[in-house]
Amino acid sequence: MKIMCQEYYDAVVRYAESIGDCTLQECLGRLERWGQNARQVSEIELYRDFAPYSFLFKQRYADGSLGVVGGLVYHGSPDRSCCYTLEKINGWTLHT
């Protein structure tokens, strides 16, 4: 995984640890597995998003083309993510 916002990433990881939430690490693990697809290896790029404690991600292949693009979004209380969910979520989720 290529972190394009290291300082912000470190702060978000610290925040997740401070509130005892493991959903961030679970989502990061899923993104890592997406990048290791056996058919075509890719790298996940993680960028800072406008929503608090959230990220934008891009799956980039070796030829520069993009795969899945979406958000690793924090749904806190209050939820300031501006993302629609069918059920109330507390923690991080992937949105594509």
Side-chain angles (χ1 to χ4, degrees):
M1 185 171 307
K2 188 173 186 179
I3 309 298
M4 310 302 282
C5 53
Q6 190 65 55
E7 191 173 316
Y8 178 72
Y9 173 85
D10 293 341
V12 173
V13 168
R14 281 193 305 273
Y15 175 70
E17 291 170 351
S18 77
I19 62 171
D21 192 305
C22 61
T23 58
L24 175 63
Q25 289 304 322
E26 290 168 2
C27 289
L28 290 170
R30 286 197 329 209
L31 288 175
E32 280 286 341
R33 289 189 296 278
W34 286 359
Q36 298 168 357
N37 183 324
R39 286 188 284 150
Q40 189 175 6
V41 175
S42 62
E43 185 169 46
I44 301 295
E45 299 173 347
L46 208 59
Y47 298 85
R48 183 179 184 152
D49 190 55
F50 72 91
Y53 306 112
S54 299
F55 299 93
L56 165 72
F57 67 86
K58 298 177 183 180
Q59 181 183 31
R60 190 172 304 277
Y61 295 102
D63 65 1
S65 64
L66 292 177
V68 177
V69 175
L72 171 48
V73 179
Y74 178 65
H75 298 276
S77 183
D79 189 341
R80 299 184 322 193
S81 68
C82 299
C83 290
Y84 177 76
T85 60
L86 293 174
E87 298 176 12
K88 183 172 174 24
I89 299 170
N90 192 18
W92 283 265
T93 60
L94 296 175
H95 294 259
T96 57

